[in-house]
Amino acid sequence: MIDQFINFVIRPPRADYNPEQYLWEKEFTLAGRQFKRQDLELTNARGHKLRCSHYLPSPFPEKTPLPCVIYCHGNSGCRADANEAAVILLPSNITVFTLDFSGSGLSDGDYVSLGWHERDDLKIVVSYLRSERQISRIGLWGRSMGAVTSLLYGAEDPSIAGMVLDSAFSNLFDLMMELVDVYKIRLPKFTVKMAVQYMRRVIQKKAKFDIMDLNCLKVAPKTFIPALFGHASEDKFIQPHHSDLIFKSYAGDKNVIKFDGDHNSSRPQFYYDSVSIFFFNVLRPPQISSACSSKLEKYYDLGDLKVGAGMDESLLYEIITGIETESTNVPSSSSAAPRVLMTKPVSELVSEVAPLARLDPMLTRNIRPDSDEQSNSQDKPNGQSDECCSYTSSNRESWGRCSSLGGSDEESSAECTAANNGNQVTLDVLATPLKGTQQKSSGPPKEEKKKQKKQKKQKKRDSTTPKPKHEK
């Protein structure tokens, strides 16, 4: 029983395959474009030869470096597991590098280490890609052991642009204790712990690493690379709470996706779509060719965007330009999917702006003479005003919501109610042009009125004879 657990950690079933049968062909066509598989060998620090493959466009674009995603397989996997990654990423001008870790597949080595020595293998691959002038940004995509490998290496190399971590375990010791319960091994707890300590010594002697050091919760708070976590909800081998623990302590920009299935089941299409969008954001590949544009159209679908008669074309151009800018210049720290900047159809957006455009220019310049913002917003073209769709500003709430602002010239004023510190205040807002306000008669000043009144009283006092009725 103990030997089985030791083999589970350091010597799981090893993939034995024919590269010409299980890998993509040397020259192949995908999404209407030509690609090639470039095989190579790298040597790690322990002297083991690593069999690798790099999927590239054929021919490679001149003077245009492309990003690369390194696929890291699981403990019983091999570089053939990266076939699905090639299908997803190559059409987006993202190259894919895959390898057999030491002790896996066709590479040298007798044991795997569930991420500990694989981290050094990954370092050799990254160094090789850095030396290639054809490669720009680098991303990591790991599954199970490969996810732990990516996380351990990412904590040491912050230059990695982004990581996809599928089914990573948080702590190897805790995972081994959980598997005792999953496989219903009826042994007392203290006996299990003693067995684990024995396994620890054997593994340390054979595979040259300590299982107690494999703890992703120690490196997650120190890692700031954007990361997308994924985990199957029915995974009994590495339960979903492992990803939850890592996600909670992870310091960088992060997102998590849960999906149906178990540890070894194929992933759903929406998960692959999310991975494709994530790498498109963090790696920023060059402009997508026309042959691949159909694949990305669903990610930038504008919905029910229809151009109506008489629509302001400058507004439509500004919105579409903003969407294109968001898709090409998204910051590398954001893990979120590209979003359409507009939440409403253009026709509805223009209808909200239209009432303000109907205001008389003379009126808008004289409602608040001391405010420069309002006059500036009217001077801008339709659809480019900073405040044209905002009715929440406290300085403009009283007149911005008044329905009579678009009324006729015959109306003299309209009452509009605004909230001020919880109290209702009634404001009179002019709804006529300025020339209408200039026709009002202006009465005498107050001081002149008082003077005339005083003279009348004095005159009445001095008069001794009553005036006739017709004079009154």
Side-chain angles (χ1 to χ4, degrees), residues 155-219:
E156 302 175 354
D157 186 357
S159 66
I160 298 297
M163 300 188 297
V164 172
L165 308 173
D166 187 339
S167 307
F169 60 82
S170 59
N171 187 313
L172 180 57
F173 177 80
D174 293 342
L175 175 63
M176 295 172 66
M177 298 300 293
E178 289 176 3
L179 291 176
V180 172
D181 296 332
V182 169
Y183 291 101
K184 298 179 180 180
I185 300 175
R186 299 180 179 179
L187 291 174
K189 287 292 183 182
F190 74 91
T191 305
V192 174
K193 290 184 178 180
M194 290 178 60
V196 170
Q197 291 298 328
Y198 171 76
M199 292 171 55
R200 178 185 179 185
R201 292 192 296 269
V202 174
I203 292 173
Q204 199 166 8
K205 183 179 180 180
K206 289 185 175 182
K208 311 300 180 184
F209 78 99
D210 190 351
I211 61 174
M212 304 303 291
D213 293 335
L214 272 174
N215 190 344
C216 294
L217 298 180
K218 292 182 179 179
V219 298

Side-chain angles (χ1 to χ4, degrees), residues 66-134:
L66 299 181
C68 180
V69 168
I70 306 173
Y71 188 90
C72 305
H73 61 76
N75 64 337
S76 296
C78 62
R79 53 180 162 159
D81 297 347
N83 290 345
E84 58 186 10
V87 174
I88 296 169
L89 300 176
L90 286 177
S92 299
N93 282 347
I94 300 174
T95 68
V96 177
F97 193 99
T98 179
L99 74 155
D100 292 341
F101 284 118
S102 176
S104 299
L106 304 182
S107 294
D108 295 345
D110 297 325
Y111 303 106
V112 301
S113 58
L114 294 182
W116 185 259
H117 292 309
E118 288 76 8
R119 168 185 54 183
D120 298 330
D121 297 345
L122 185 56
K123 183 178 181 180
I124 298 298
V125 173
V126 173
S127 298
Y128 165 77
L129 292 175
R130 295 287 187 208
S131 64
E132 293 290 313
R133 296 182 179 180
Q134 294 178 325

Side-chain angles (χ1 to χ4, degrees), residues 312-360:
D312 188 353
E313 295 182 359
S314 63
L315 174 62
L316 178 62
Y317 176 80
E318 181 184 1
I319 293 173
I320 295 178
T321 304
I323 295 172
E324 294 175 351
T325 304
E326 178 73 6
S327 65
T328 56
N329 296 329
V330 63
S332 61
S333 62
S334 181
S335 58
R339 297 175 299 174
V340 176
L341 300 180
M342 179 185 60
T343 58
K344 298 181 180 180
V346 174
S347 57
E348 184 179 347
L349 190 62
V350 173
S351 66
E352 293 181 356
V353 181
L356 290 180
R358 290 197 297 266
L359 291 175
D360 191 285

Side-chain angles (χ1 to χ4, degrees), residues 13-27:
R14 188 167 186 164
D16 187 9
Y17 64 97
N18 183 358
E20 301 304 324
Q21 182 179 358
Y22 288 94
L23 301 181
W24 285 92
E25 297 177 354
K26 292 284 187 178
E27 299 284 341

Side-chain angles (χ1 to χ4, degrees), residues 252-292:
D253 290 345
K254 54 190 175 182
N255 198 2
V256 61
I257 299 177
K258 298 292 182 64
F259 40 83
D260 296 334
D262 56 28
H263 188 74
N264 295 314
S265 62
S266 59
R267 299 319 189 206
Q269 183 60 40
F270 79 88
Y271 173 73
Y272 289 135
D273 291 342
S274 301
V275 171
S276 178
I277 294 173
F278 172 79
F279 279 128
F280 187 86
N281 286 341
V282 299
L283 296 180
R284 304 178 190 176
Q287 185 178 2
I288 305 301
S289 64
S290 58
C292 310

